[in-house]
Amino acid sequence: ELKVEQNPLFLSMQEGKNYTIYCNYSTTSDRLYWYRQDPGKSLESLFVLLSNGAVKQEGRLMASLDTKARLSTLHITAAVHDLSATYFCAVEGASGSRLTFGEGTQLTVNP
Amino acid sequence: DTAVSQTPKYLVTQMGNDKSIKCEQNLGHDTMYWYKQDSKKFLKIMFSYNNKELIINETVPNRFSPKSPDKAHLNLHINSLELGDSAVYFCASRGQGARVEAFFGQGTRLTVV
């Protein structure tokens, strides 16, 4: 059974600082997705990573995938308050039919 | 136009009642899902349909029954509601094949009292 673990689960950081969220998964996959969820809202797709070494950047967020280490990272550069949200990684299993989500990382950016 | 829409957004009901949540997507996707998000925000897949056929049925009580009248709709009916069913239920859809992201509805917050 595919297991996906995120670290940390809670992250409080100051504006202007950098930090990285980690997503580890237990079985071979080269398809990983990052989502953002604001309180009381839906999940918004951020990044789609489909190969080993894939790197995607959007604004202050950068995601990468290392399929050999079964690890994805979401790097936050010079955080701003608007980035406060819960971030989920999701891994696609071998069958391609389901996404298994990590526990989510609740990010709070303080002024 | 909302790509994946669920109704209702909020649902408060008493234990023992039967309720339904409806989901519609206008993206032309073949695959639709129901996910449950608990109070700790953990997302767990419940069901998946591909072109009206059930392809994933996780360990979910029989009281939960999905129905897909066509590939644009996936409804969730829940019988004999229990307190533990309180959660946010998300519908999602996905295009054909792997390697594409899923798009989520706004969620239905179900509260059983």
Side-chain angles (χ1 to χ4, degrees), chain A residues 5-78:
Chain A
E5 294 182 347
Q6 287 182 233
N7 178 26
L9 300 184
F10 298 92
L11 176 55
S12 181
M13 54 191 299
Q14 283 188 310
E15 279 191 330
K17 298 293 187 184
N18 304 332
Y19 209 84
T20 300
I21 298 170
Y22 298 89
C23 174
N24 289 93
Y25 53 98
S26 62
T27 63
T28 302
S29 176
D30 60 355
R31 301 179 287 256
L32 190 141
Y33 308 83
W34 283 96
Y35 286 86
R36 169 182 171 145
Q37 185 180 34
D38 291 300
K41 302 291 186 182
S42 183
L43 282 84
E44 173 193 354
S45 176
L46 291 175
F47 299 110
V48 178
L49 302 169
L50 300 177
S51 61
N52 185 38
V55 177
K56 297 275 183 77
Q57 181 160 7
E58 180 74 34
R60 300 174 188 275
L61 300 178
M62 183 173 71
S64 66
L65 178 61
D66 181 343
T67 59
K68 292 177 183 174
R70 299 178 187 169
L71 171 69
S72 179
T73 61
L74 180 65
H75 187 73
I76 304 152
T77 302

Side-chain angles (χ1 to χ4, degrees), chain A residues 35 37 42 50 92 97-99, chain B residues 35 37 58 94 98 102 105:
Chain A
Y35 286 86
Q37 185 180 34
S42 183
L50 300 177
E92 186 167 347
S97 59
R98 74 173 69 197
L99 297 181
Chain B
Y35 278 85
Q37 186 173 45
E58 287 296 287
R94 201 160 173 225

Side-chain angles (χ1 to χ4, degrees), chain A residues 30-31 33 35 37 39-43 45 48 50 86 88 92 96-103 106, chain B residues 9 33 35 37 40-43 45 48 55-56 58 90 94 98-106 109:
Chain A
D30 60 355
R31 301 179 287 256
Y33 308 83
Y35 286 86
Q37 185 180 34
K41 302 291 186 182
S42 183
L43 282 84
S45 176
V48 178
L50 300 177
T86 299
F88 292 92
E92 186 167 347
S97 59
R98 74 173 69 197
L99 297 181
T100 299
F101 281 80
E103 308 98 318
Q106 189 173 318
Chain B
K9 189 172 181 183
Y33 306 86
Y35 278 85
Q37 186 173 45
K40 294 183 180 179
K41 299 196 177 184
F42 185 67
L43 277 155
I45 191 167
S48 174
I55 57 172
I56 295 175
E58 287 296 287
F90 283 99
R94 201 160 173 225
R99 300 176 171 267
V100 294
E101 72 263 51
F103 292 84
F104 283 77
Q106 73 270 35
R109 182 174 294 276

